[in-house]
Amino acid sequence: MSLRTGLSAVIDLTVSEADTAIAMRSGEVPVLATPRILALVEEATVRALDGHLAVGASTVGMRVQLEHISPTPIGSVVRAEANLEKVEGRRLVFHVSARDERGLVAAGKVTRVVVDVDRFMEKTL
């Protein structure tokens, strides 16, 4: 593994009706849903690790701390960014944020844990 602080990734999303609180059943307003922001920043954490994990390894989400600061309407472009801040053994702590053309939409931390996929999946049996 070549995990080190500073690994990062950026992902853009154009907000559609499928991304809204109404569609995700997390609210009743036609704006970007908090669960969709979470999925977007988690996608950025996974992308930041592309090519840096050992064969047979992956990461799983462990902890999320996310503050959804402002609404984003349909049609807006949101840019999610993840930066690896800490490597603590198998725990990886990312600073995450999402911005639209008006500014900061969400910010927080996502902790992921490196796992051996085969051993991890054995736990589901």
Side-chain angles (χ1 to χ4, degrees):
M1 291 190 304
S2 60
L3 298 175
R4 63 187 184 287
T5 59
L7 294 177
S8 65
V10 173
I11 296 180
D12 290 339
L13 170 75
T14 300
V15 179
S16 72
E17 286 188 31
D19 302 310
T20 66
I22 294 169
M24 301 205 85
R25 303 166 91 188
S26 67
E28 298 176 350
V29 288
V31 296
L32 182 61
T34 303
R36 185 63 182 101
I37 293 172
L38 174 56
L40 192 63
V41 297
E42 279 204 306
E43 181 182 352
T45 66
V46 170
R47 184 159 306 155
L49 299 174
D50 281 352
H52 295 280
L53 295 173
V55 173
S58 186
T59 61
V60 294
M62 180 190 150
R63 181 178 298 124
V64 174
Q65 299 163 296
L66 187 69
E67 184 174 356
H68 190 166
I69 298 163
S70 67
T72 303
I74 294 169
S76 294
V77 175
V78 174
R79 173 163 282 183
E81 185 170 355
N83 292 291
L84 183 55
E85 277 188 344
K86 292 182 192 173
V87 177
E88 300 171 330
R90 295 185 312 124
R91 288 186 186 186
L92 309 175
V93 180
F94 291 85
H95 176 266
V96 295
S97 63
R99 298 179 185 281
D100 64 14
E101 54 271 10
R102 295 176 305 148
L104 190 62
V105 172
K109 299 216 181 277
V110 172
T111 302
R112 299 186 68 79
V113 177
V114 178
V115 297
D116 176 280
V117 173
D118 291 337
R119 274 193 270 157
F120 182 79
M121 292 308 295
E122 285 175 4
K123 294 178 181 183
T124 67
L125 302 176

